[in-house]
Amino acid sequence: MATTTPNASRTARDRARRELTEEIKRVARRHLAEHGSAALSLRAVAREVGMVSSAVYRYFPSRDDLLTALIIDAYDAVGERAEAAESASRDRGADARWLSVCEAVRAWALANPHEYALIFGSPVPGYAAPEATIGPASRVPLVLLRLLGDGVASGEFVAGKTPAMSRTTRSDFAQLRRTAAPAVPDAVLSRGLSVWAQLLGGINLEMFGHLHNVIRDYDAFFTLQMRRACEFLTQGV
């Protein structure tokens, strides 16, 4: 007579738990799309999954815990896309790799508009992101900071004139150098962060309808803006 070992039983339970966790998150993502993040309800998600509310709390003790899981998944997804784009263009110049990463971030945003809005749109009222989100949220910026370092090392990104900045900003840039961008001067960091803001701003204008009746070819416009941004990085102005 066949017997089930304790390890096999535990593995089966773990697998079932992972599958149900993913099902809860899948339903929650659809609720985000239909009702918005502020209206996300753990009880409503539980009803659709076919669970009583007391059972779903064993997976996500609160709505904020479920939101955190969705936010981490979204940051990891766009981070993976950015890292893959950078890796695939490794044999090209730093500016071309930067453009490739920007295009990958936009492509992910267009394919996942509600997840993009969750992490780069309006903050969810009453929600405070925990420390667990910091690492996933850093993945795309870290790719771009590494590209700044590569561009400086290769001579593609010239420092040029350092802009006037406050003592606090200089301290912030020094911290960035210590943690993720060694040897990148303040002038290049300043331009890099400006281009990062331009990337997100450009996607937001498109995603949230602010280019409607202004720009007809969004693809061409985005590429133009990002190429101009790369010129800004390389010219040292």
Side-chain angles (χ1 to χ4, degrees):
M1 181 177 177
T3 59
T4 302
T5 66
N7 283 344
S9 297
R10 184 163 54 251
T11 300
R13 286 195 303 270
D14 290 343
R15 183 168 61 249
R17 182 179 181 85
R18 286 195 301 270
E19 291 172 353
L20 189 49
T21 298
E22 290 304 314
E23 174 67 7
I24 292 169
K25 291 193 291 186
R26 184 189 66 78
V27 171
R29 290 188 189 97
R30 188 162 54 74
H31 282 217
L32 284 180
E34 294 174 354
H35 310 295
S37 55
L40 183 65
S41 164
L42 199 55
R43 289 177 179 270
V45 171
R47 282 196 301 270
E48 185 164 336
V49 174
M51 302 173 68
V52 296
S53 58
S54 59
V56 79
Y57 290 131
R58 292 199 293 269
Y59 293 81
F60 296 100
S62 70
R63 182 212 66 159
D64 283 5
D65 290 302
L66 178 55
L67 269 176
T68 295
L70 298 179
I71 288 168
I72 288 174
D73 283 356
Y75 276 130
D76 278 335
V78 68
E80 288 171 8
R81 188 72 67 90
E83 290 160 0
E86 192 276 330
S87 179
S89 59
R90 190 68 57 80
D91 59 343
R92 304 171 68 190
D95 59 341
R97 290 156 63 198
W98 185 288
L99 178 59
S100 180
V101 170
C102 291
E103 289 174 337
V105 171
R106 174 177 177 260
W108 178 85
L110 294 178
N112 303 275
H114 303 292
E115 285 84 355
Y116 177 86
L118 179 63
I119 56 177
F120 293 121
S122 299
V124 180
Y127 173 80
E131 188 174 348
T133 62
I134 295 175
S138 301
R139 290 178 69 168
V140 174
L142 285 174
V143 169
L144 297 177
L145 286 169
R146 286 196 296 271
L147 287 178
L148 289 183
D150 290 351
V152 169
S154 67
E156 293 175 77
F157 298 161
V158 180
K161 182 180 179 181
T162 301
M165 62 183 69
S166 70
R167 182 179 301 175
T168 302
T169 301
R170 287 188 184 279
S171 175
D172 291 339
F173 284 3
Q175 180 62 29
L176 274 176
R177 264 190 297 278
R178 286 192 293 270
T179 58
V184 178
D186 286 351
V188 178
L189 279 175
S190 175
R191 296 202 304 276
L193 291 176
S194 294
V195 175
W196 167 236
Q198 184 176 351
L199 167 63
L200 294 183
I203 295 174
N204 283 6
L205 286 175
E206 178 181 353
M207 293 280 292
F208 303 136
H210 299 295
L211 295 179
H212 183 62
N213 288 332
V214 178
I215 298 296
R216 287 179 294 172
D217 188 337
Y218 291 164
D219 292 344
F221 180 71
F222 180 83
T223 300
L224 170 64
Q225 295 305 303
M226 290 303 102
R227 283 179 176 164
R228 292 287 292 165
C230 288
E231 291 173 4
F232 177 56
L233 283 173
T234 58
Q235 289 174 357
V237 295

